[in-house]
Amino acid sequence: KQEVTQIPAALSVPEGENLVLNCSFTDSAIYNLQWFRQDPGKGLTSLLLIQSSQREQTSGRLNASLDKSSGRSTLYIAASQPGDSATYLCAVFNDYKLSFGAGTTVTVRA
Amino acid sequence: GAGVSQSPSNKVTEKGKDVELRCDPISGHTALYWYRQSLGQGLEFLIYFQGNSAPDKSGLPSDRFSAERTGGSVSTLTIQRTQQEDSAVYLCASSYSGGGTEAFFGQGTRLTVV
């Protein structure tokens, strides 16, 4: 069974600092890895999708890396803003389903 | 529609009643998933539909839970004889195909069983 772990569980940084969110998974036979953002009381918003053959994916201030062999992904958010405050979820796709980590709750202080 | 649509957004029901939750996936998406998010818990997989194939029901927590997908589009998740532990946010997602393409989630249905 795929196990996904996200560290840290919570993170508080001052505005402007770069964010580094970590995700690890136990079964490296994945199709892809997807990062999501969840605001309180809301659904999930897709941020980045990395296919298993890719090493990284970038979108604006967001960059995600994938090391499938070691079962790790890192999401970098550059120059954080208060609007980046949310819970970030990592999910890996294998066995025809997405398996999620518990998330990292980020607070960016103005 | 432009995104995944779920209804109702909120549902309060009495213990023992049946409830139906609806999901309209993005047009053209063949894969549809249901997940459950309980307070303070991670997302729990419930069921997966891919085209006309038999659904993967391996995540359904009990036989009180069932789901169907009509015409390869709209899906309904039914919970019979609701219990308080069924209180959670039920999230639906769709993707273009089941081969690990990008998944898009709806806003969820918050179910409260009193």
Side-chain angles (χ1 to χ4, degrees):
Chain A
K1 178 188 173 187
Q2 180 74 265
E3 301 286 344
V4 183
T5 303
Q6 290 189 248
I7 295 173
L11 188 59
S12 179
V13 299
E15 182 176 3
E17 193 163 301
N18 296 334
L19 290 164
V20 180
L21 310 180
N22 297 298
C23 171
S24 62
F25 46 95
T26 55
D27 184 352
S28 62
I30 64 170
Y31 283 97
N32 63 39
L33 183 145
Q34 199 167 348
W35 282 93
F36 293 90
R37 168 186 173 138
Q38 186 173 33
D39 293 286
K42 303 292 186 183
L44 278 64
T45 300
S46 178
L47 297 175
L48 288 168
L49 172 73
I50 312 176
Q51 298 292 348
S52 62
S53 58
Q54 295 179 306
R55 297 285 291 183
E56 66 176 325
Q57 190 68 256
T58 298
S59 176
R61 293 184 296 111
L62 276 59
N63 174 276
S65 66
L66 174 63
D67 184 342
K68 199 174 80 161
S69 61
S70 67
R72 295 181 182 180
S73 177
T74 302
L75 177 66
Y76 302 90
I77 304 177
S80 61
Q81 304 168 357
D84 295 329
S85 298
T87 296
Y88 291 82
L89 295 158
C90 162
V92 295
F93 189 93
N94 71 332
D95 196 24
Y96 302 103
K97 63 178 71 74
L98 282 167
S99 299
F100 284 83
T104 295
T105 299
V106 171
T107 303
V108 181
R109 308 186 303 273
Chain B
V4 178
S5 178
Q6 292 187 245
S7 61
S9 54
N10 282 284
K11 176 73 176 179
V12 180
T13 190
E14 293 181 352
K15 178 181 174 182
K17 300 282 191 181
D18 297 352
V19 295
E20 286 188 351
L21 313 180
R22 176 186 168 105
C23 173
D24 277 281
I26 293 172
S27 178
H29 281 194
T30 62
L32 186 147
Y33 309 82
W34 283 97
Y35 284 80
R36 178 169 72 174
Q37 188 173 35
S38 303
L39 189 64
Q41 302 296 312
L43 275 86
E44 175 189 9
F45 167 78
L46 297 177
I47 190 169
Y48 161 65
F49 295 91
Q50 172 53 43
N52 296 320
S53 302
D56 176 355
K57 304 179 182 180
S58 61
L60 294 179
S62 78
D63 59 8
R64 296 186 295 105
F65 288 72
S66 63
E68 64 176 19
R69 189 177 184 191
T70 54
S73 181
V74 172
S75 177
T76 302
L77 177 68
T78 301
I79 308 173
Q80 296 179 310
R81 305 181 302 282
T82 52
Q83 304 295 312
Q84 288 188 328
E85 61 262 29
D86 299 334
S87 296
V89 176
Y90 290 82
L91 291 160
C92 174
S94 71
S95 66
Y96 181 71
S97 74
T101 51
E102 190 172 7
F104 296 90
F105 278 77
Q107 292 299 295
T109 293
R110 181 174 299 278
L111 175 66
T112 304
V113 182
V114 298

